[in-house]
Amino acid sequence: MTENIIKPQGTSPLSKVPEVVLGFWVIKILATTLGETGGDMLSMSMNLGYAVSTLILFLPFLVLVALQIKAKKFHPFLYWGVIVGTTLAGTTMADFADRSLHIGYIGGTSILFALVIASLLTWRFTLGSVSVNNIVTPQQEMFYWVTILFSNTLGTALGDWTSEGTGFAGGVGLFCGLLAVIALLYFFTKISRTILFWMAFILTRPLGASLGDLLTKPHDDGGLNLSRYVATGVIAVAMIVCILIFPQKAGTHPGEADGKQ
Protein backbone atom coordinates (compact mmCIF):
# COMPACT_ATOMS: atom_id res chain seq x y z
CA MET A 1 0.00 0.00 0.00
CA THR A 2 1.44 3.36 -0.98
CA GLU A 3 2.21 5.88 1.75
CA ASN A 4 1.12 9.30 0.50
CA ILE A 5 2.07 11.25 3.58
CA ILE A 6 5.25 13.26 3.20
CA LYS A 7 7.69 12.12 5.84
CA PRO A 8 10.09 14.69 7.26
CA GLN A 9 13.72 13.73 7.38
CA GLY A 10 14.52 11.33 10.21
CA THR A 11 10.95 10.50 11.18
CA SER A 12 11.59 6.87 12.14
CA PRO A 13 12.87 7.73 15.65
CA LEU A 14 9.78 9.92 16.12
CA SER A 15 7.31 7.10 15.50
CA LYS A 16 4.77 6.98 18.31
CA VAL A 17 4.05 3.25 18.13
CA PRO A 18 6.31 0.28 18.98
CA GLU A 19 8.04 -1.99 16.53
CA VAL A 20 5.69 -4.79 15.50
CA VAL A 21 7.60 -7.93 16.49
CA LEU A 22 6.77 -11.07 18.52
CA GLY A 23 6.90 -9.21 21.83
CA PHE A 24 4.31 -6.75 20.54
CA TRP A 25 1.78 -9.52 19.99
CA VAL A 26 2.49 -11.21 23.34
CA ILE A 27 1.87 -7.95 25.20
CA LYS A 28 -1.18 -7.17 23.05
CA ILE A 29 -2.82 -10.50 23.95
CA LEU A 30 -2.09 -9.92 27.64
CA ALA A 31 -3.58 -6.43 27.35
CA THR A 32 -6.77 -7.73 25.73
CA THR A 33 -7.13 -10.44 28.38
CA LEU A 34 -6.55 -7.86 31.12
CA GLY A 35 -9.26 -5.69 29.56
CA GLU A 36 -11.75 -8.55 29.78
CA THR A 37 -11.03 -9.57 33.37
CA GLY A 38 -10.62 -5.97 34.56
CA GLY A 39 -13.79 -4.74 32.88
CA ASP A 40 -15.80 -7.68 34.22
CA MET A 41 -14.28 -7.13 37.67
CA LEU A 42 -15.63 -3.59 37.74
CA SER A 43 -19.04 -4.23 36.17
CA MET A 44 -19.81 -7.66 37.64
CA SER A 45 -17.67 -8.42 40.70
CA MET A 46 -18.07 -4.87 42.06
CA ASN A 47 -21.68 -4.74 40.80
CA LEU A 48 -21.25 -1.28 39.27
CA GLY A 49 -23.05 -2.24 36.08
CA TYR A 50 -21.97 -1.73 32.50
CA ALA A 51 -22.97 1.93 32.08
CA VAL A 52 -21.31 3.18 35.26
CA SER A 53 -18.22 1.07 34.62
CA THR A 54 -17.93 2.48 31.10
CA LEU A 55 -18.08 6.04 32.44
CA ILE A 56 -15.44 5.24 35.07
CA LEU A 57 -13.10 3.58 32.57
CA PHE A 58 -13.57 6.04 29.72
CA LEU A 59 -12.19 9.00 31.66
CA PRO A 60 -8.70 7.53 32.28
CA PHE A 61 -8.65 6.35 28.67
CA LEU A 62 -9.24 9.92 27.46
CA VAL A 63 -6.52 11.23 29.78
CA LEU A 64 -4.02 8.60 28.65
CA VAL A 65 -4.73 9.05 24.95
CA ALA A 66 -4.37 12.83 25.33
CA LEU A 67 -0.98 12.33 27.01
CA GLN A 68 0.02 9.86 24.27
CA ILE A 69 -0.86 12.29 21.48
CA LYS A 70 0.87 15.16 23.28
CA ALA A 71 4.06 13.16 23.87
CA LYS A 72 6.97 13.95 21.55
CA LYS A 73 8.28 10.38 21.32
CA PHE A 74 7.36 6.77 22.01
CA HIS A 75 6.95 5.83 25.69
CA PRO A 76 6.32 2.09 26.20
CA PHE A 77 4.26 2.25 29.40
CA LEU A 78 2.19 5.17 28.14
CA TYR A 79 1.47 3.45 24.82
CA TRP A 80 0.46 0.17 26.46
CA GLY A 81 -1.51 2.06 29.08
CA VAL A 82 -3.68 3.50 26.30
CA ILE A 83 -4.07 0.03 24.78
CA VAL A 84 -5.26 -1.34 28.15
CA GLY A 85 -7.58 1.66 28.44
CA THR A 86 -9.21 0.76 25.11
CA THR A 87 -9.63 -2.89 26.15
CA LEU A 88 -11.11 -2.03 29.55
CA ALA A 89 -13.54 0.55 28.18
CA GLY A 90 -14.23 -1.63 25.15
CA THR A 91 -15.26 -4.54 27.36
CA THR A 92 -17.88 -2.61 29.32
CA MET A 93 -19.04 -0.65 26.25
CA ALA A 94 -19.68 -3.84 24.29
CA ASP A 95 -21.41 -5.52 27.24
CA PHE A 96 -23.59 -2.43 27.76
CA ALA A 97 -24.66 -2.44 24.11
CA ASP A 98 -25.15 -6.22 23.88
CA ARG A 99 -26.87 -6.78 27.22
CA SER A 100 -28.22 -3.55 28.73
CA LEU A 101 -29.48 -2.15 25.41
CA HIS A 102 -30.45 -5.67 24.27
CA ILE A 103 -28.81 -5.24 20.87
CA GLY A 104 -27.48 -8.78 21.17
CA TYR A 105 -24.14 -10.22 20.13
CA ILE A 106 -24.99 -10.37 16.43
CA GLY A 107 -26.26 -6.80 16.37
CA GLY A 108 -23.41 -5.48 18.50
CA THR A 109 -20.78 -7.27 16.44
CA SER A 110 -22.29 -6.03 13.16
CA ILE A 111 -22.49 -2.40 14.31
CA LEU A 112 -18.97 -2.38 15.72
CA PHE A 113 -17.54 -4.08 12.64
CA ALA A 114 -19.15 -1.36 10.52
CA LEU A 115 -17.59 1.30 12.80
CA VAL A 116 -14.12 -0.26 12.42
CA ILE A 117 -14.46 -0.32 8.62
CA ALA A 118 -15.81 3.24 8.59
CA SER A 119 -12.89 4.42 10.73
CA LEU A 120 -10.33 2.73 8.47
CA LEU A 121 -11.95 4.06 5.29
CA THR A 122 -12.14 7.61 6.67
CA TRP A 123 -8.50 7.36 7.73
CA ARG A 124 -7.53 6.01 4.29
CA PHE A 125 -9.37 8.68 2.32
CA THR A 126 -8.21 11.49 4.61
CA LEU A 127 -4.50 10.66 4.92
CA GLY A 128 -3.90 8.29 2.02
CA SER A 129 -2.98 5.19 4.02
CA VAL A 130 -3.94 3.20 7.12
CA SER A 131 -0.42 1.83 7.54
CA VAL A 132 1.02 2.09 11.05
CA ASN A 133 4.61 2.30 9.83
CA ASN A 134 4.98 5.96 10.72
CA ILE A 135 2.49 7.28 13.27
CA VAL A 136 3.93 10.71 14.04
CA THR A 137 1.23 13.39 13.66
CA PRO A 138 -1.74 14.09 15.97
CA GLN A 139 -4.17 13.46 13.09
CA GLN A 140 -2.63 10.05 12.40
CA GLU A 141 -2.79 9.19 16.09
CA MET A 142 -6.43 10.23 16.39
CA PHE A 143 -7.42 7.86 13.60
CA TYR A 144 -5.14 5.16 15.05
CA TRP A 145 -6.67 5.28 18.54
CA VAL A 146 -10.28 5.62 17.37
CA THR A 147 -9.80 2.54 15.19
CA ILE A 148 -8.21 0.64 18.06
CA LEU A 149 -11.02 1.59 20.46
CA PHE A 150 -13.64 0.36 17.98
CA SER A 151 -11.66 -2.81 17.21
CA ASN A 152 -11.20 -3.69 20.87
CA THR A 153 -14.89 -3.09 21.55
CA LEU A 154 -15.74 -5.23 18.51
CA GLY A 155 -13.47 -7.98 19.83
CA THR A 156 -15.40 -8.21 23.09
CA ALA A 157 -18.71 -8.67 21.31
CA LEU A 158 -17.22 -11.11 18.80
CA GLY A 159 -15.51 -13.16 21.52
CA ASP A 160 -18.68 -13.40 23.61
CA TRP A 161 -20.77 -14.29 20.58
CA THR A 162 -18.34 -17.00 19.45
CA SER A 163 -18.10 -18.50 22.93
CA GLU A 164 -21.85 -19.09 22.94
CA GLY A 165 -21.35 -21.73 20.27
CA THR A 166 -17.84 -23.00 20.92
CA GLY A 167 -17.43 -22.50 24.66
CA PHE A 168 -14.62 -20.38 26.09
CA ALA A 169 -11.90 -22.97 25.40
CA GLY A 170 -13.25 -23.44 21.89
CA GLY A 171 -13.15 -19.69 21.35
CA VAL A 172 -9.52 -19.56 22.45
CA GLY A 173 -8.67 -22.38 20.04
CA LEU A 174 -10.61 -20.80 17.17
CA PHE A 175 -8.93 -17.42 17.40
CA CYS A 176 -5.48 -18.94 17.94
CA GLY A 177 -6.07 -20.91 14.74
CA LEU A 178 -7.14 -17.81 12.82
CA LEU A 179 -4.07 -15.91 14.02
CA ALA A 180 -1.90 -18.83 12.92
CA VAL A 181 -3.44 -18.59 9.44
CA ILE A 182 -2.61 -14.86 9.32
CA ALA A 183 0.97 -15.65 10.37
CA LEU A 184 1.26 -18.13 7.50
CA LEU A 185 -0.13 -15.56 5.09
CA TYR A 186 2.46 -13.08 6.33
CA PHE A 187 5.41 -15.42 5.83
CA PHE A 188 4.33 -17.15 2.63
CA THR A 189 2.29 -14.65 0.61
CA LYS A 190 2.59 -11.08 -0.62
CA ILE A 191 -0.73 -9.92 0.82
CA SER A 192 -0.57 -6.33 2.08
CA ARG A 193 1.15 -6.21 5.46
CA THR A 194 -1.17 -3.37 6.43
CA ILE A 195 -4.24 -5.57 5.88
CA LEU A 196 -2.68 -8.51 7.74
CA PHE A 197 -1.68 -6.26 10.62
CA TRP A 198 -5.20 -4.98 11.16
CA MET A 199 -6.67 -8.46 10.80
CA ALA A 200 -4.31 -9.79 13.48
CA PHE A 201 -4.80 -6.74 15.68
CA ILE A 202 -8.57 -7.12 15.63
CA LEU A 203 -8.48 -10.89 16.24
CA THR A 204 -6.25 -10.66 19.31
CA ARG A 205 -9.13 -8.93 21.09
CA PRO A 206 -11.71 -11.75 20.89
CA LEU A 207 -8.88 -14.12 21.78
CA GLY A 208 -8.29 -12.09 24.94
CA ALA A 209 -12.03 -11.94 25.64
CA SER A 210 -12.38 -15.72 25.34
CA LEU A 211 -9.24 -16.32 27.40
CA GLY A 212 -10.35 -13.92 30.12
CA ASP A 213 -13.76 -15.57 30.32
CA LEU A 214 -12.19 -19.04 30.32
CA LEU A 215 -10.12 -18.04 33.36
CA THR A 216 -12.87 -16.37 35.40
CA LYS A 217 -16.29 -17.73 34.47
CA PRO A 218 -17.93 -20.36 36.75
CA HIS A 219 -17.33 -24.06 36.18
CA ASP A 220 -20.99 -24.52 35.20
CA ASP A 221 -20.44 -22.06 32.33
CA GLY A 222 -17.27 -23.77 31.14
CA GLY A 223 -14.78 -21.49 32.90
CA LEU A 224 -12.05 -22.13 35.46
CA ASN A 225 -13.78 -19.99 38.12
CA LEU A 226 -10.67 -17.99 39.08
CA SER A 227 -11.12 -14.75 40.99
CA ARG A 228 -11.37 -11.75 38.65
CA TYR A 229 -9.34 -9.75 41.15
CA VAL A 230 -6.53 -12.30 41.21
CA ALA A 231 -6.61 -12.91 37.45
CA THR A 232 -6.50 -9.18 36.71
CA GLY A 233 -3.60 -8.64 39.10
CA VAL A 234 -1.57 -11.57 37.75
CA ILE A 235 -2.13 -10.58 34.13
CA ALA A 236 -1.21 -6.95 34.89
CA VAL A 237 2.06 -8.04 36.51
CA ALA A 238 2.82 -10.40 33.61
CA MET A 239 2.22 -7.57 31.16
CA ILE A 240 4.55 -5.21 33.03
CA VAL A 241 7.25 -7.87 33.12
CA CYS A 242 6.90 -8.45 29.37
CA ILE A 243 7.17 -4.72 28.65
CA LEU A 244 10.41 -4.68 30.63
CA ILE A 245 11.78 -7.89 29.10
CA PHE A 246 10.87 -7.51 25.44
CA PRO A 247 12.71 -4.75 23.55
CA GLN A 248 10.47 -1.70 23.44
CA LYS A 249 11.40 0.86 20.84
CA ALA A 250 9.68 3.01 18.30
CA GLY A 251 9.54 0.99 15.14
CA THR A 252 8.12 0.47 11.73
CA HIS A 253 5.44 -1.77 10.36
CA PRO A 254 6.67 -5.22 9.19
CA GLY A 255 7.44 -5.23 5.51
CA GLU A 256 8.36 -1.56 5.16
CA ALA A 257 12.00 -2.32 4.44
CA ASP A 258 11.23 -4.90 1.75
CA GLY A 259 8.36 -3.01 0.18
CA LYS A 260 5.60 -5.35 1.40
CA GLN A 261 3.19 -2.65 2.45
Side-chain angles (χ1 to χ4, degrees):
M1 181 173 289
T2 302
E3 180 64 78
N4 294 331
I5 300 172
I6 299 175
K7 301 177 185 179
Q9 186 177 6
T11 53
S12 291
L14 299 178
S15 179
K16 301 286 290 295
V17 300
E19 187 178 16
V20 182
V21 292
L22 178 61
F24 175 92
W25 296 112
V26 172
I27 298 170
K28 173 61 164 60
I29 292 171
L30 286 171
T32 60
T33 309
L34 176 61
E36 186 70 19
T37 60
D40 287 350
M41 179 183 73
L42 208 64
S43 63
M44 299 179 187
S45 297
M46 295 184 181
N47 295 315
L48 296 179
Y50 303 124
V52 173
S53 297
T54 297
L55 292 175
I56 292 172
L57 293 171
F58 208 74
L59 179 59
F61 160 70
L62 291 177
V63 172
L64 287 170
V65 79
L67 291 173
Q68 167 69 17
I69 293 174
K70 186 177 180 181
K72 300 300 182 182
K73 61 181 182 179
F74 169 64
H75 297 281
F77 282 99
L78 178 56
Y79 174 86
W80 288 111
V82 183
I83 291 289
V84 170
T86 65
T87 63
L88 287 168
T91 295
T92 55
M93 287 169 60
D95 288 342
F96 176 72
D98 296 340
R99 300 167 186 173
S100 297
L101 298 182
H102 305 292
I103 294 176
Y105 294 136
I106 297 177
T109 298
S110 300
I111 292 171
L112 290 164
F113 180 74
L115 289 173
V116 171
I117 297 302
S119 177
L120 287 170
L121 288 175
T122 304
W123 182 358
R124 176 67 176 82
F125 289 128
T126 301
L127 299 182
S129 173
V130 295
S131 172
V132 298
N133 65 353
N134 199 44
I135 303 295
V136 295
T137 69
Q139 193 174 19
Q140 287 172 315
E141 282 203 89
M142 287 295 294
F143 280 116
Y144 180 78
W145 290 114
V146 167
T147 303
I148 288 177
L149 178 62
F150 285 152
S151 71
N152 281 333
T153 307
L154 165 65
T156 298
L158 181 58
D160 290 344
W161 179 26
T162 303
S163 295
E164 280 198 334
T166 64
F168 303 123
V172 170
L174 172 64
F175 293 114
C176 282
L178 291 174
L179 287 169
V181 170
I182 292 175
L184 291 174
L185 292 174
Y186 173 80
F187 287 112
F188 297 108
T189 74
K190 295 183 179 180
I191 294 176
S192 166
R193 271 37 184 170
T194 298
I195 294 174
L196 293 177
F197 170 83
W198 283 112
M199 289 174 63
F201 197 96
I202 291 170
L203 286 174
T204 54
R205 182 61 186 99
L207 171 60
S210 299
L211 184 57
D213 285 339
L214 175 64
L215 293 172
T216 59
K217 292 297 185 182
H219 294 302
D220 291 343
D221 294 334
L224 299 178
N225 200 33
L226 300 179
S227 165
R228 291 191 181 101
Y229 298 98
V230 173
T232 299
V234 170
I235 296 167
V237 170
M239 184 176 170
I240 291 171
V241 170
C242 286
I243 293 173
L244 294 172
I245 291 177
F246 289 113
Q248 292 289 303
K249 62 180 181 179
T252 58
H253 189 280
E256 183 185 27
D258 55 14
K260 295 179 180 178
Q261 288 295 323

